């Protein structure tokens, strides 16, 4: 009986050793496969690096060719190794050229950063207010912004297939119940901007004083999507205003509510053709923002 027990223990020990050997073999095979995979990936990376080096060298050659100085023009009387003499410049001429170079550098720097119009041309370009996409809209719903007490978030119908999201800073000026279903005048081609985490896709136009804001209203009978125009400005609106051109900011300074409560630009009424003019509800002789 004891002999049988010893034989069973030996058999069990044998099987344990075999299991351990199989595990080691499986691990070895897995590491070999991983090593092969890494070798293949390394080879691909080396090829990518070589391609990038070639591309970089090609670009450097092209850049050097573009920046190479032009050959010096020789007069017939000069020898093959002589260079045409450059007449001396006067100090005044040198200063003018250095100032011109500085002006070009400043223009490039301003254009790259978007902080200023090149060479101060902003005041020289005629502002065409018809490039603003001003439309009649209906505020479908509005609620308080969850992250800002002074903001409303809502949806507005401006005559498109789907409503636009609107964020407005009117919570301290217009009661929430007066926002619901209200007709309004909106600027629709500003670049959408995020306000406290919500993307606003339009801007309400309001009569504005230091103490008060009041939503501009379209004429009776106007419907969402009707374009608001100004007599004498018949162009088509931009698809989206370029923020660097600051067209809205330069136009807004001449938008006003006159002493009769009519919204105007340079004294001409904002109107919906065939319907009438846009107005403030109670305010007059104030700015439009």
């Amino acid at each position: 009986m004891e002999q049988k027990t010893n034989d069973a223990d030996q058999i069990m020990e044998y099987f344990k050793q075999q299991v351990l050997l199989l595990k080691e073999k499986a691990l070895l095979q897995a590491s070999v496969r991983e090593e092969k995979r890494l070798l293949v990936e390394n080879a691909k990376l080396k090829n990518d690096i070589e391609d990038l080096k070639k591309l970089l060298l090609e670009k450097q050659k092209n850049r050097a060719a573009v920046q190479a100085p032009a050959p010096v023009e020789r007069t017939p009387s000069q020898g093959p190794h002589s260079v045409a003499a450059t007449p001396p410049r006067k100090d005044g001429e040198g200063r003018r050229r250095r100032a011109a170079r500085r002006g070009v550098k400043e223009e490039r720097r301003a254009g790259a950063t978007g902080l200023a119009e090149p060479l101060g041309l902003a005041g020289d370009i005629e502002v065409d207010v018809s490039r603003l996409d001003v439309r009649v809209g209906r505020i479908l719903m509005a609620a308080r912004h969850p992250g800002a007490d002074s903001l409303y978030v809502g949806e507005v119908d401006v005559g498109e297939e789907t409503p636009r999201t609107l964020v407005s800073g009117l919570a301290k000026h217009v009661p929430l119940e007066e926002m619901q279903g209200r007709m309004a005048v909106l600027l629709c081609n500003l670049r959408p901007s995020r306000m406290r985490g919500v993307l606003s896709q339009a801007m309400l136009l309001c009569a504005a004083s230091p103490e008060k804001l009041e939503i501009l209203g379209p004429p009776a009978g106007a419907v969402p999507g009707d374009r608001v125009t100004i007599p004498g400005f018949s162009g088509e609106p931009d698809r989206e205003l370029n923020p660097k051109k600051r067209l809205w900011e330069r136009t807004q300074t001449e938008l006003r509510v006159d002493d009769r409560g009519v919204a105007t630009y340079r004294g001409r009424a904002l109107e919906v053709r065939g319907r009438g003019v846009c107005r403030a509800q109670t305010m007059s002789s104030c700015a439009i923002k």
Side-chain angles (χ1 to χ4, degrees):
M1 187 70 177
E2 184 179 354
Q3 181 65 32
K4 290 182 179 179
T5 301
N6 291 336
D7 290 343
D9 290 341
Q10 290 177 359
I11 291 171
M12 290 297 295
E13 186 65 27
Y14 172 77
F15 280 124
K16 287 180 180 179
Q17 291 178 357
Q18 291 298 315
V19 169
L20 291 173
L21 288 173
L22 289 173
K23 287 183 177 179
E24 291 178 358
K25 184 177 180 181
L27 289 173
L28 180 61
Q29 289 176 343
S31 63
V32 169
R33 287 195 299 271
E34 182 66 16
E35 183 179 359
K36 288 181 179 179
R37 186 182 68 80
L38 291 174
L39 288 173
V40 171
E41 289 186 357
N42 285 340
K44 290 181 178 179
L45 287 173
K46 287 181 180 178
N47 289 334
D48 291 342
I49 290 172
E50 290 300 322
D51 291 340
L52 288 173
K53 284 182 178 179
K54 291 177 182 178
L55 181 61
L56 179 60
L57 289 173
E58 186 66 25
K59 287 188 174 181
Q60 288 176 340
K61 288 179 181 179
N62 292 338
R63 187 178 300 170
V66 170
Q67 295 178 348
V72 178
E73 183 179 356
R74 298 183 178 89
T75 62
S77 60
Q78 292 173 326
H81 301 290
S82 61
V83 178
T86 303
R89 292 198 304 263
K90 295 181 180 179
D91 291 342
E93 181 183 356
R95 282 195 296 271
R96 286 194 297 273
R97 292 191 179 185
R98 287 193 295 272
R101 286 196 294 270
R102 283 197 299 271
V104 170
K105 289 180 180 178
E106 290 174 0
E107 176 186 353
R108 289 174 179 171
R109 192 180 302 116
T113 59
L115 296 178
E117 293 285 346
L119 293 179
L121 293 179
D124 299 331
I125 298 174
E126 178 66 20
V127 177
D128 186 353
V129 71
S130 65
R131 292 174 61 186
L132 303 182
D133 185 5
V134 182
R135 302 186 213 168
V136 174
R138 184 190 302 275
I139 302 172
L140 301 176
M141 60 77 62
R144 290 193 177 274
H145 192 298
D149 293 338
S150 62
L151 300 179
Y152 286 144
V153 179
E155 291 186 346
V156 60
D157 176 9
V158 290
E160 298 171 337
E161 292 184 3
T162 57
R164 294 194 184 197
T165 301
L166 175 71
V167 182
S168 60
L170 295 175
K172 295 182 179 180
H173 300 276
V174 181
L176 184 59
E177 58 271 16
E178 292 184 13
M179 296 286 292
Q180 316 300 331
R182 182 168 185 159
M183 297 296 288
V185 178
L186 296 104
L187 179 59
C188 296
N189 62 342
L190 285 176
R191 182 168 294 178
S193 61
R194 197 169 294 277
M195 300 176 68
R196 294 295 185 92
V198 180
L199 191 67
S200 183
Q201 300 170 308
M203 185 177 75
L204 282 170
L205 296 188
C206 298
S209 71
E211 300 81 20
K212 187 177 179 180
L213 288 176
E214 189 173 275
I215 298 172
L216 291 181
V223 297
D226 282 348
R227 189 178 174 200
V228 176
T229 60
I230 299 168
F233 297 90
S234 57
E236 290 298 316
D238 292 5
R239 180 177 175 275
E240 181 177 277
L241 297 178
N242 184 344
K244 293 182 180 180
K245 301 298 183 183
R246 301 181 63 82
L247 182 63
W248 162 243
E249 291 79 2
R250 289 153 55 196
T251 304
Q252 185 267 327
T253 58
E254 298 188 82
L255 284 166
R256 292 194 57 82
V257 175
D258 67 14
D259 56 4
R260 299 173 299 153
V262 176
T264 66
Y265 174 75
R266 296 183 181 177
R268 302 183 183 187
L270 277 64
E271 64 177 22
V272 177
R273 290 176 184 170
R275 301 293 184 183
V277 300
C278 301
R279 294 177 174 272
Q281 187 174 2
T282 64
M283 298 175 65
S284 61
S285 301
C286 61
I288 294 176
K289 294 184 178 180

